[in-house]
């Protein structure tokens, strides 16, 4: 008890404290534009809630900003003190950016207590110095061609951030003056001298400044670079102009070196180009280094050098390939005469093609026809040939006679010989032609001998014929088999395969295709055993020399690839709803055939649509003829069946029992048949309970719903909802009207028990209760049976007959067989009060009940009477003779106030109107 009191006191003390909230918020703070990161904006603190729960780490934080920005964040200072600072992620610019920001600062503690406040931050304007634009702000490199006349170089531009419209002029100047440059007040940079790169004018560093109207300045650097221009002529530095060289120098020998320099080249990465302008086949010059090389043999004893041994050349030097500066220089070469005439040949290499079946001793080449010596005197002009040598030439080639230069065949050049194949059927023979005098000059002669293959062997297949098998189920591109043809001749040329004849069917011109490179035979389309079981093809193989053909037999393996076909494949049937189970529906039968399966393998099954399994086939398997039977009866009365139109999909499956295969390994095919069955309901008749004629019309409407007509159920559903709503509102209005006029609910009538078949002859006993009460009659009604007018009390139900003089004319009713009309007997006394009392008033005023029996066994004919509803009363208020709300029927007894005996025929009338509340 004391603990509870303490807890209530603690809660009361805690409830007196304030909840978690932000102190010094909401507020408005200012921050200068262009403030650096971590600039303080506003300090605030957090007042903890009554629970003293600490603030969640990382809170408070800015959750929303208007406008959106990331320029601010919240920093923790100490304890519960915090500060809003700038982040530096976005530049705060008074002139171009938003000036006012609304920051939503949100805080939350460990127990979930939160607070949200607004901090308004205003950006203040700060006078900023002018700024240079673009790359100019970082410094700019300018380039001027040397030799350019003094004048305009560049237009410097800056802007003042405070002057958004840029209407206030800025003042430009050079911070450090220069004798070579000047700058106008509007920022135009001029040169005052003509620059010469070779004189040392290469680059200048200028510092340009700008000043606004308030004296704030900014500066940037301008690096002015002088571009070297090719304006100087190259100068030769080599002084030698006459060179003496020996003849027979090797090609590429350097015989002279010409050098030059370009004044424009100092300190600049460029080069000079050298060339020989004089036509000369003896020398070439390196265009980059200027070295002159021997390009052709210098023969002092031949050609123009025999008469004039000096060669003059003009060397041209240029500082660029075209459009540059150039200079020329003349040099002369004198060729000295030496003993340099060895034996030589007009051709030093020969290629000979020799057939592989050439006979031994065949002359292949006579070198004497191609070799000579230009020396004028013997023995300098005499020479001979050495023994042939070289890889593969040993034992195959020789000279006959020795040293004569006549190369003959002495070995075997069979192309298919393994040793010749190892040598590649290519042989290199080297023969030297040698001077017989000192210094015994030698020249090599290269003879390349190739063996020419000849067609010695025919092209033949590896088999005399081929037999392949392929299933008729195999798809296109299936490999049928492989043929291969070879030729023993080397080198083996590419063999091309083709189908010359065969392989056609009635539907396709070509069933097979052969790969022309590999010889693989493939299917172009599926083969059909039933159409053609065997194909005989003629395959042809060709190469560069021969061709050959072979017979290929392709046996098509029989498979179950045909679906059962049934007649009819679609049919419409109509059956009565009461058709007996087991009946053959309209004697309908299916007759099925299959090209590759026996009727014994047929199976029949129902697919979708056979709802409640009403239909079946007999026999269901083992026959090609089957009948459609009704398997189960239709039951629409209980709601089991709801569909009147059936769409059956019948599957006809063959089990492929051919060739004795196991059923688990068999391939099966399935055909389909579509049956439309409409169930016809039997006609419905209704017998009326009244003796008079009544015509009952039965309208059968059939709604065939299509899945595509989605709007039909939608419209029906919408209309039903609207109709239900309308009926509900009408019922509510009707109930309100009845409630206003009928204040008391009467007891319901109990029908008199009548045995079957005794409705017209039964004369029920009447229980008469006499209740004396004084009533005020506040209503008036007409008896629907007699037509008499009576008054009634709406509260107690008491009634009395009115004066006959004020009665309305009585109405007549004819009996079922045209009987005489019955006229209601007027009441004995109009002054008596009559009424039917309920049980409750009877208990308040107990009176003896008098059971009365009709004095005469008079037969009353039942006649249909109209159901009458007295004014301001509900259907529940109806009773015999238009009784008030308290009249009751009790097991054949009728309680009637007063002493008036009622005729039995009245009771019969009330009982005959079943379901109409004895009206």
């Amino acid at each position: 008890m004391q603990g509870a009191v303490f807890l209530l006191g603690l809660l009361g003390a805690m409830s007196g404290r304030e909840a978690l909230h932000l102190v010094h918020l909401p507020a408005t703070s200012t921050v200068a534009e262009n403030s650096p990161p971590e600039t303080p904006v506003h300090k605030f603190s957090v007042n903890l809630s009554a629970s003293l729960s600490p603030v969640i780490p990382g809170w408070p934080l800015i959750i929303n900003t208007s406008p959106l920005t990331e320029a601010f964040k919240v920093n923790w200072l100490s304890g519960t003190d915090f500060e809003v600072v700038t982040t530096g992620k976005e530049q705060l610019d008074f002139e171009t950016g938003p000036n006012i920001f609304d920051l939503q600062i949100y805080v939350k503690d460990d127990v979930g207590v939160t607070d949200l406040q607004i901090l308004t931050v205003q950006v203040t304007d700060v006078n900023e110095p002018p700024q240079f634009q673009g790359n100019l702000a970082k410094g700019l490199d300018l380039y001027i061609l040397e030799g350019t006349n003094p004048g305009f170089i560049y237009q410097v531009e800056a802007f003042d951030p405070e002057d958004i419209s840029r209407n206030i002029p800025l003042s430009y100047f050079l911070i450090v003056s220069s004798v070579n440059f000047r700058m106008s007040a509007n920022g135009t940079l001029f040169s005052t001298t003509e620059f010469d790169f070779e004189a040392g004018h290469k680059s200048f560093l200028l510092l340009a400044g700008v000043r606004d109207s308030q004296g704030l300045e900014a500066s940037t650097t301008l690096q002015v670079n002088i571009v070297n221009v090719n304006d100087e002529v190259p100068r030769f530095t080599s002084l030698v102009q006459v060179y003496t060289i020996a003849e027979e120098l090797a090609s590429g020998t350097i015989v002279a070196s010409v050098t030059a320099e370009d004044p424009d080249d100092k300190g600049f990465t460029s080069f000079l180009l050298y060339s020989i302008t004089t036509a000369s086949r003896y020398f070439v010059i390196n265009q980059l280094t200027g070295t002159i090389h021997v390009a052709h043999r210098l023969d002092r004893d031949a050609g123009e050098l025999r008469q004039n041994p000096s060669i003059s050349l003009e060397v041209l030097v240029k500082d660029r390939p075209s459009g540059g500066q150039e200079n020329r220089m003349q040099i002369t070469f004198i060729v000295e005469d030496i003993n340099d005439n060895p034996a030589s040949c007009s051709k030093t290499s020969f290629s000979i093609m020799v057939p592989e079946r050439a006979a031994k001793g065949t002359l292949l080449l006579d070198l004497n026809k191609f070799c000579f010596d230009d020396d004028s005197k013997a023995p300098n002009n005499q020479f001979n040939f050495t023994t042939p040598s070289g890889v593969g030439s040993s034992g195959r080639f020789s000279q006959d006679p020795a040293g004569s230069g006549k190369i003959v065949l002495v070995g075997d050049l069979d192309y298919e010989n393994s040793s010749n194949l190892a040598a590649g059927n290519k042989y290199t023979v080297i023969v030297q032609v040698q001077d017989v005098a000192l210094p015994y000059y030698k020249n090599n002669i290269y003879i390349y001998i190739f063996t020419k293959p000849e067609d010695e062997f025919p092209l033949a297949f590896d088999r005399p014929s081929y037999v392949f098998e392929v299933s008729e189920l195999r798809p296109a591109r299936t490999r049928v088999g492989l043929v291969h043809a070879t030729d023993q001749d080397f080198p083996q040329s590419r063999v091309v395969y083709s189908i010359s004849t065969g392989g056609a069917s009635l539907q396709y011109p070509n069933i097979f295709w052969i790969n022309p490179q590999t010889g693989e035979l493939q299917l172009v389309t599926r083969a059909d055993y039933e159409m053609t079981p065997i194909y005989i093809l003629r395959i042809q193989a060709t190469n560069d020399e021969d061709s050959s053909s072979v017979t290929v037999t392709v046996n098509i393996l029989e498979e179950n690839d045909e679906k059962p076909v049934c007649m009819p494949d679609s049919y419409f049937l109509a059956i009565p709803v009461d058709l007996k189970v087991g009946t053959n529906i309209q004697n309908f039968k299916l007759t099925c055939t299959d090209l590759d399966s026996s009727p014994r393998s047929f199976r029949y099954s129902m697919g979708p649509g056979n709802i409640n399994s009403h239909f079946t086939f007999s026999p269901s398997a083992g026959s090609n003829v089957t009948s459609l039977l009704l398997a189960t009866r239709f039951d629409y009365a209980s709601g089991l069946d709801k569909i009147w139109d059936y769409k059956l999909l019948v599957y006809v499956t063959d089990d492929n029992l051919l060739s004795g295969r196991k059923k688990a390994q068999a391939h099966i095919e399935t055909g389909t048949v579509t049956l439309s069955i409409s169930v016809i309901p039997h006609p419905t008749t209704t017998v009326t309970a009244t003796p008079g004629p009544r015509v009952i019309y039965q309208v059968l409407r059939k709604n065939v719903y299509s899945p595509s007509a989605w709007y039909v159920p939608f419209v029906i559903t919408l209309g039903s909802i609207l109709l239900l709503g309308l009926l509900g509102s009408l019922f509510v209005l009707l109930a309100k009207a009845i409630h206003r006029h009928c204040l008391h609910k009467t007891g319901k009538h109990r029908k008199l028990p009548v045995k079957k078949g005794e409705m017209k002859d039964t004369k029920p006993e009447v229980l008469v209760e006499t209740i004396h009460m004084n009533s005020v009659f506040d209503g008036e009604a007409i008896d629907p049976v007699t037509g008499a007018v009576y008054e009634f009390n709406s509260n107690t139900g008491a009634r009395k007959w009115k004066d006959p003089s004020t009665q309305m004319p009585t109405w007549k009713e004819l009996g079922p067989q045209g009987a005489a009309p019955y006229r209601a007997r007027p009441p004995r006394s109009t002054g008596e009060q009559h009424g039917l009392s309920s049980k409750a008033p009877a208990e308040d005023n107990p009176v003896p009940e008098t059971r009365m029996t009709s004095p005469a066994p008079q037969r009353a004919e039942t006649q249909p009477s109209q159901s009458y509803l007295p004014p301001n009363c509900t259907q529940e208020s109806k009773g015999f003779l238009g009784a008030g709300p308290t009249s009751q029927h009790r097991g054949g007894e009728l309680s009637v106030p007063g002493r008036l005996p009622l005729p039995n025929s009245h009771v019969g009338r009330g009982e005959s109107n079943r379901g109409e509340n004895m009206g």
Side-chain angles (χ1 to χ4, degrees), residues 601-621:
S601 65
F602 289 171
R603 289 185 292 110
Y604 304 91
S605 59
M606 291 288 186
N610 191 13
I611 301 174
N612 294 334
S613 302
H614 286 303
F615 307 99
T616 186
F617 277 98
S618 178
S620 61

Side-chain angles (χ1 to χ4, degrees), residues 661-708:
R661 298 179 182 174
K662 294 181 180 179
K663 186 173 181 180
Q665 301 174 350
H667 178 79
I668 64 173
E669 291 287 346
T670 301
T672 58
V673 175
T674 302
L675 297 181
S676 299
I677 300 177
S678 179
V679 181
I680 306 302
H682 57 75
T684 303
T685 57
T686 304
V687 179
T688 58
T690 60
R694 177 177 296 180
V695 179
I696 297 176
Y697 296 94
Q698 181 179 8
V699 180
L700 177 62
R701 291 183 175 89
K702 182 179 180 182
N703 181 23
V704 180
Y705 172 70
S706 174
S708 61

Side-chain angles (χ1 to χ4, degrees), residues 95-128:
E95 289 76 22
T96 61
N99 296 333
I100 298 178
F101 298 91
D102 289 333
L103 311 181
Q104 294 185 6
I105 300 177
Y106 184 64
V107 66
K108 184 178 181 181
D109 61 10
D110 284 344
V111 297
V113 182
T114 62
D115 191 16
L116 177 68
Q117 298 295 338
I118 305 297
L119 173 63
T120 302
V121 180
Q122 296 181 350
V123 180
T124 59
D125 188 15
V126 177
N127 188 23
E128 301 173 78

Side-chain angles (χ1 to χ4, degrees), residues 294-348:
V294 175
H296 193 271
R297 178 189 172 197
L298 296 171
D299 190 356
R300 174 66 177 79
D301 301 317
E304 67 270 11
L305 293 181
R306 183 181 290 273
Q307 288 80 22
N308 184 14
S310 64
I311 303 172
S312 295
L313 302 176
E314 183 184 67
V315 178
L316 173 66
V317 60
K318 298 176 65 174
D319 55 9
R320 63 178 59 179
S322 62
Q325 303 293 334
E326 61 183 35
N327 201 354
R328 300 172 187 269
M329 177 183 180
Q330 292 286 336
I331 61 174
T332 301
F333 292 97
I334 298 175
V335 181
E336 292 183 346
D337 185 21
I338 63 174
N339 187 13
D340 61 344
N341 289 321
S344 61
C345 300
S346 60
K347 291 179 65 175
T348 59

Side-chain angles (χ1 to χ4, degrees), residues 439-494:
Y440 305 109
Y441 291 111
K442 298 178 181 179
N443 284 322
N444 291 334
I445 299 174
Y446 299 93
I447 305 173
Y448 302 99
I449 301 175
F450 301 91
T451 303
K452 180 181 179 181
E454 295 180 299
D455 187 12
E456 299 179 272
F457 303 96
L459 178 65
F461 285 90
D462 55 0
R463 298 183 191 175
S465 63
Y466 296 88
V467 177
F468 301 129
E469 293 181 347
V470 63
S471 172
E472 63 175 330
L473 294 180
R474 299 303 297 170
R477 302 185 67 85
T478 297
R479 184 179 187 270
V480 178
L482 182 68
V483 298
H484 185 258
T486 57
D487 189 346
Q488 297 182 13
D489 287 317
F490 283 89
Q492 293 186 347
S493 59
R494 183 171 64 92

Side-chain angles (χ1 to χ4, degrees), residues 22-23 25 29 38-46 59-62 72-87 103 105 119:
L22 297 167
V23 183
L25 288 175
S29 297
E38 302 298 330
T39 301
V41 178
H42 182 75
K43 293 183 179 180
F44 65 94
S45 60
V46 178
W59 298 62
L61 51 80
I62 300 173
F72 304 97
K73 66 177 181 178
V74 177
N75 283 349
W76 175 74
L77 297 178
S78 63
T80 58
D81 296 329
F82 301 90
E83 183 178 32
V84 177
V85 298
T86 60
T87 62
L103 311 181
I105 300 177
L119 173 63

Side-chain angles (χ1 to χ4, degrees), residues 801-868:
W801 297 106
K802 291 191 66 177
D803 188 356
S805 62
T806 62
Q807 294 285 335
M808 295 179 60
T810 59
W811 52 275
K812 301 178 181 180
E813 284 186 343
L814 295 177
Q817 289 80 21
Y822 170 80
R823 180 176 300 272
R825 184 178 59 182
R828 294 180 181 179
S829 176
T830 60
E832 291 183 359
Q833 297 178 353
H834 303 281
L836 299 177
S837 61
S838 62
K839 185 177 181 180
E843 291 176 355
D844 294 338
N845 301 299
V847 294
E849 293 184 356
T850 304
R851 185 175 301 272
M852 301 178 64
T853 305
S854 179
Q858 182 181 355
R859 178 181 177 89
E861 296 294 334
T862 60
Q863 299 181 10
S865 62
Q866 297 180 352
S867 176
Y868 179 78

Side-chain angles (χ1 to χ4, degrees), residues 878-899:
K878 292 181 182 180
F880 182 70
L881 293 179
T886 57
S887 62
Q888 297 179 355
H889 294 286
R890 300 177 181 176
E893 298 177 355
L894 180 65
S895 298
V896 181
R899 293 169 299 192

